[in-house]
């Protein structure tokens, strides 16, 4: 499956839709315009790739809705060269968007099957996170900390405390918090143990679970 002009046209339409829904960051919109989302989905869903919807990716997980990816990435305020930790690699789409912006991406997945699949797939389409990790994102990845930004792409029923210490001063943690429905929360680290907290309303994610499988 290749990337065609038809797919590029559909992506441009999706970008217009995201602008209408309030996404402003040009680097985020450019990334969405460039990443071939149809390649991240099982072939049965390819026709849906450029609709603003979440879709199954196997192992009971989903590729996030483009609006959610754009919204979280905008909140992260990513600059080229920033070191970003993603919790929940899944299909690798969010990681590809971060790579496209020029971030140094570290990404953790707890399901071995998805970790294996995405570790092979992303480099095959020329997206190269610095490291893909098979592990439990609740504990972060201290080996490469501190990070400019940490993005959690699964719903956390409680605040993943360990991630705070892995953030630089001035860094940002974007995390959906809640059980059934999640509030999108942005933590801006002002100083050690000092955060500005902002709430950005309701979203729905698959749950952030503990331990690897
Ligand atoms: N960022 C992904 C979204 C995938 S859905 C994408 O763009 O496709 C959320 C992902 O988080 C799932 O793949 C799920 O297996 C993973 N996940 C859930 N709990 C986790 C944990 N504790 N550590 C790491 N990954 C986790």
């Amino acid at each position: 499956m290749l990337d065609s002009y038809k797919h590029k046209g559909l992506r441009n339409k999706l970008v217009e839709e995201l602008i209408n829904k309030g996404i402003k960051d040009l680097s985020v919109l450019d990334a969405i315009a460039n990443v071939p989302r149809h390649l991240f989905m099982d072939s049965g869903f390819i026709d849906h790739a450029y609709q603003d919807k979440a879709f199954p990716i196997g192992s009971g997980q989903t590729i996030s809705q483009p609006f959610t990816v754009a919204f979280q990435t905008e909140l992260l305020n990513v600059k080229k060269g920033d070191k970003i930790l993603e919790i929940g690699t899944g299909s690798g789409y969010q990681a590809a968007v971060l790579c496209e912006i020029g971030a140094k991406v570290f990404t953790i997945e707890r399901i071995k099957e998805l970790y294996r699949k995405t570790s092979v797939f992303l480099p095959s389409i020329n997206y190269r996170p610095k490291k893909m990790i098979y592990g439990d994102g609740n504990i972060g990845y201290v080996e490469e900390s501190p990070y400019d930004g940490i993005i959690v792409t699964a719903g956390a029923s409680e605040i993943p405390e360990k991630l705070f210490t892995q953030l630089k001063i001035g860094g940002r943690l974007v995390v959906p918090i809640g059980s059934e429905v999640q509030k999108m929360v942005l933590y801006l680290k002002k100083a050690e143990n000092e955060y500005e907290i902002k709430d950005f309303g309701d979203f729905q994610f698959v749950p952030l679970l503990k331990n690897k499988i």
Side-chain angles (χ1 to χ4, degrees), residues 61-62 86 88-91 94 109-111 136-138 153 209:
Q61 304 304 319
T62 54
E86 179 196 23
T89 313
S91 68
Q94 172 73 70
E109 173 57 54
R110 72 179 276 273
I111 299 179
D136 177 5
N138 285 288
T153 69
L209 298 170

Side-chain angles (χ1 to χ4, degrees), residues 9 50 61 76 82 108 110 113 157 177:
Y50 296 110
Q61 304 304 319
L76 263 187
D82 277 359
I108 311 180
R110 72 179 276 273
E113 188 62 31
S157 56
I177 296 177

Side-chain angles (χ1 to χ4, degrees), residues 84-178:
I84 304 291
L85 178 67
E86 179 196 23
I87 314 296
T89 313
S91 68
Y93 179 70
Q94 172 73 70
V97 166
L98 292 166
C99 287
E100 192 63 57
I101 296 174
K104 296 186 186 111
V105 180
F106 298 82
T107 180
I108 311 180
E109 173 57 54
R110 72 179 276 273
I111 299 179
K112 193 163 214 170
E113 188 62 31
L114 281 176
Y115 159 77
R116 280 213 187 106
K117 196 174 159 191
T118 303
S119 309
V120 173
F121 169 67
L122 276 182
S124 81
I125 58 163
N126 279 321
Y127 289 113
R128 300 179 195 282
K130 288 281 167 203
K131 193 155 193 179
M132 293 193 244
I133 302 133
Y134 169 53
D136 177 5
N138 285 288
I139 55 176
Y141 190 65
V142 75
E143 289 87 335
E144 288 288 341
S145 66
Y147 302 95
D148 296 288
I150 302 179
I151 173 172
V152 182
T153 69
S157 56
E158 53 200 64
I159 298 166
E161 301 281 351
K162 292 212 165 108
L163 301 181
F164 288 115
T165 54
Q166 296 179 27
L167 206 54
K168 288 183 190 170
I169 309 280
R172 293 168 168 238
L173 167 64
V174 178
V175 53
I177 296 177

Side-chain angles (χ1 to χ4, degrees), residues 17-123:
E17 195 177 335
L18 296 178
I19 293 170
N20 289 335
K21 290 180 177 175
I23 303 297
K24 293 191 179 65
D25 186 325
L26 290 181
S27 65
V28 174
L29 293 167
D30 272 356
I32 304 265
N34 286 331
V35 179
R37 189 170 186 260
H38 60 286
L39 302 182
F40 291 73
M41 302 173 61
D42 294 337
S43 52
F45 293 108
I46 276 177
D47 287 347
H48 301 275
Y50 296 110
Q51 293 177 12
D52 189 20
K53 287 184 180 158
F55 275 100
I57 53 169
S59 307
Q61 304 304 319
T62 54
I63 178 171
S64 301
Q65 184 182 342
F67 175 75
T68 305
V69 171
F71 193 83
Q72 285 196 283
T73 312
E74 190 166 77
L75 288 182
L76 263 187
N77 195 24
V78 188
K79 304 277 181 308
K80 200 172 174 180
D82 277 359
K83 213 169 169 181
I84 304 291
L85 178 67
E86 179 196 23
I87 314 296
T89 313
S91 68
Y93 179 70
Q94 172 73 70
V97 166
L98 292 166
C99 287
E100 192 63 57
I101 296 174
K104 296 186 186 111
V105 180
F106 298 82
T107 180
I108 311 180
E109 173 57 54
R110 72 179 276 273
I111 299 179
K112 193 163 214 170
E113 188 62 31
L114 281 176
Y115 159 77
R116 280 213 187 106
K117 196 174 159 191
T118 303
S119 309
V120 173
F121 169 67
L122 276 182

